[in-house]
Amino acid sequence: MGGADKGLIEWQGRPLVAWITDVARPVTDDLIISCNRHADRYAVYADHVVADDVPDYPGPLAGIRAGLASMRHAVLLVLPCDAPRVDRTLLDELAKTARLHPGQPVVVRRGDQWEPLFCALPRSLQPAIEAAWQAGERSPRRLWQQFGAVALQCNADDPRLMNFNTPRTLGSP
């Protein structure tokens, strides 16, 4: 997106982050947004805004760590800000699957592809995630699989999982 802050890029007249928070807000009283820029602009959408504790944006696992460190509930629901088509049904399915598999990460799997930034993580994994981070791990996908990820299976072409990664995708209805 040319270096722009993706969560604040507009789609259909609203910032991408607004679409995600509209869906997530009814299911939580502890909405956390991880961002490394424009915290004041994100604050209107969240109960807490957190940032990476290391410089130079080392990847999404850094933001997930920040969310885990500030969470108040037993499960952290992780969603990327650039997927505005996520719906309540998907969130409910993640939560239900997490309740059925306590202690394990629940990760969306689209066809044969893991989607590690659509997941539900139990707080109990925080020490293991931190240890892996300190050992140099930066891949959420590898970690979730190492921790016995439970797949929430979705169709390969599920439109709810479409990431808006280029200006061209922003033109998609």
Side-chain angles (χ1 to χ4, degrees), residues 7-67:
L8 299 174
I9 292 174
E10 291 201 1
W11 179 65
Q12 296 186 0
R14 301 174 64 214
L16 289 173
V17 68
W19 297 92
I20 296 293
T21 58
D22 281 355
V23 173
R25 172 53 70 197
V27 300
T28 186
D29 64 350
D30 192 25
L31 202 150
I32 303 166
I33 293 179
S34 174
C35 65
N36 293 312
R37 302 183 284 171
H38 308 112
D40 57 328
R41 293 178 61 193
Y42 282 105
V44 300
Y45 300 101
D47 296 313
H48 305 282
V49 176
V50 297
D52 298 351
D53 63 357
V54 292
D56 301 326
Y57 185 67
L61 190 56
I64 292 168
R65 287 175 56 241

Side-chain angles (χ1 to χ4, degrees), residues 9 15 26 58 103 107 117 124-125 147-148:
I9 292 174
V107 182
L117 300 184
S124 62
L125 288 178
F147 298 145

Side-chain angles (χ1 to χ4, degrees), residues 1-160:
M1 293 289 197
D5 190 331
K6 274 205 273 186
L8 299 174
I9 292 174
E10 291 201 1
W11 179 65
Q12 296 186 0
R14 301 174 64 214
L16 289 173
V17 68
W19 297 92
I20 296 293
T21 58
D22 281 355
V23 173
R25 172 53 70 197
V27 300
T28 186
D29 64 350
D30 192 25
L31 202 150
I32 303 166
I33 293 179
S34 174
C35 65
N36 293 312
R37 302 183 284 171
H38 308 112
D40 57 328
R41 293 178 61 193
Y42 282 105
V44 300
Y45 300 101
D47 296 313
H48 305 282
V49 176
V50 297
D52 298 351
D53 63 357
V54 292
D56 301 326
Y57 185 67
L61 190 56
I64 292 168
R65 287 175 56 241
L68 284 164
S70 70
M71 68 187 278
R72 294 184 300 131
H73 297 290
V75 175
L76 179 71
L77 177 64
V78 177
L79 300 168
C81 71
D82 61 355
R85 293 183 175 153
V86 166
D87 65 9
R88 174 71 183 263
T89 301
L90 183 66
L91 301 190
D92 289 344
E93 291 171 353
L94 278 165
K96 177 183 176 185
T97 307
R99 283 190 301 274
L100 293 172
H101 300 276
Q104 291 178 274
V106 176
V107 182
V108 167
R109 190 168 163 92
R110 179 177 13 185
D112 293 333
Q113 178 70 36
W114 290 97
E115 296 290 343
L117 300 184
F118 294 88
C119 65
L121 302 174
R123 178 198 306 260
S124 62
L125 288 178
Q126 183 181 12
I129 291 170
E130 187 60 28
W133 174 269
Q134 296 302 327
E137 182 61 72
R138 298 297 181 262
S139 169
R141 181 185 53 80
R142 280 194 304 262
L143 269 182
W144 307 166
Q145 289 176 331
Q146 176 186 328
F147 298 145
V150 174
L152 175 61
Q153 194 64 48
C154 294
N155 292 330
D157 61 350
D158 191 326
R160 301 175 299 177

